[in-house]
Amino acid sequence: MYKILLVDDEVIVRKGIRETISWAEHGFQCVGDCENGLEALEAIRNLKPDVVLTDIYMPFMDGLELARHIREEFPQTKVVILTGFDDFEYAQQAVKLNVKDFILKPITATELRKVLDQIRDELDREHREREDVERLRRQWQESMPLLRERFLEQLALSRIPAAERKERMALFGLHLPGPYYTALAV
């Protein structure tokens, strides 16, 4: 389950969104709701949500400023901005802040479900990619001793061009400072 945090200064809007969506059906857990950006930033630091659904106009810190902080501190967190204003300038700023979506109020449950499903699919894909990279990193580390041994064997038994030798020695963390080497095979 991915964690989502709701941020809106209107209690009715927060309550409506929270109670209208069957979060678990869409792969989410609503971990909280906040009434302004300052409160939300503190909650984000504590709860580490995967998605923040925020209004744009709020007291103390608006949604764009919140998105700026999220981008700087939690770049993996997806931000969706809700607004009652169809203002192109805000949309442009949102795009620059890497906001995932910009939705006009009043939002329908169907529209929000569609956005949630798209974000869930993207989060799933990113999660699989991170797992693949981690698996490849582990395999590389496990293979390193054997690869190093094979390189040393090749180094002892044949000539390797200087540029390739230098590159592979750096790759395997081998430092042979002298111009000549003596090899002993046991």
Side-chain angles (χ1 to χ4, degrees):
M1 289 268 196
Y2 297 108
K3 297 187 288 188
I4 189 167
L5 179 71
L6 306 177
V7 187
D8 198 305
D9 58 333
E10 296 178 49
V11 177
I12 293 173
V13 172
R14 288 195 318 267
K15 185 177 178 183
I17 291 173
R18 190 172 194 142
E19 293 176 0
T20 302
I21 302 297
S22 299
W23 298 103
E25 287 178 22
H26 298 279
F28 287 93
Q29 172 191 8
C30 186
V31 293
D33 57 80
C34 303
E35 65 180 83
N36 64 63
L38 285 176
E39 183 183 322
L41 191 54
E42 185 176 326
I44 292 165
R45 289 175 178 147
N46 292 326
L47 300 171
K48 309 226 180 333
D50 301 289
V51 179
V52 174
L53 182 65
T54 181
D55 188 16
I56 205 164
Y57 285 113
M58 298 178 294
F60 308 116
M61 180 189 299
D62 68 17
L64 290 176
E65 184 64 25
L66 177 61
R68 207 171 280 115
H69 284 284
I70 292 170
R71 185 186 71 185
E72 291 169 4
E73 293 183 47
F74 306 96
Q76 301 287 14
T77 301
K78 309 289 183 214
V79 177
V80 177
I81 290 190
L82 300 174
T83 183
F85 302 93
D86 187 8
D87 189 333
F88 183 70
E89 184 179 323
Y90 286 118
Q92 278 185 312
Q93 289 179 38
V95 167
K96 288 178 185 175
L97 293 171
N98 204 25
V99 167
K100 190 69 203 143
D101 217 328
F102 191 83
I103 304 170
L104 291 176
K105 289 181 184 177
I107 184 171
T108 65
T110 302
E111 185 179 8
L112 183 55
R113 285 184 197 107
K114 182 180 173 186
V115 169
L116 290 173
D117 289 342
Q118 290 170 346
I119 291 173
R120 183 203 56 231
D121 292 346
E122 183 176 335
L123 288 167
D124 286 347
R125 188 181 71 253
E126 289 173 359
H127 182 74
R128 282 190 307 273
E129 288 171 0
R130 282 192 302 275
E131 284 179 340
D132 288 346
V133 167
E134 180 58 28
R135 182 178 41 77
L136 289 172
R137 189 190 61 74
R138 273 195 322 273
Q139 287 174 345
W140 170 253
Q141 286 178 335
E142 290 169 4
S143 301
M144 185 64 86
L146 180 60
L147 293 171
R148 183 179 311 159
E149 182 180 320
R150 285 189 180 160
F151 167 68
L152 289 171
E153 183 179 306
Q154 186 181 15
L155 185 62
L157 298 176
S158 63
R159 294 184 67 96
I160 299 174
E164 181 183 344
R165 183 177 60 238
K166 184 177 179 180
E167 180 182 319
R168 289 174 68 187
M169 287 179 70
L171 175 69
F172 295 122
L174 299 171
H175 305 287
L176 303 174
Y180 302 103
Y181 309 100
T182 303
L184 173 65
V186 178

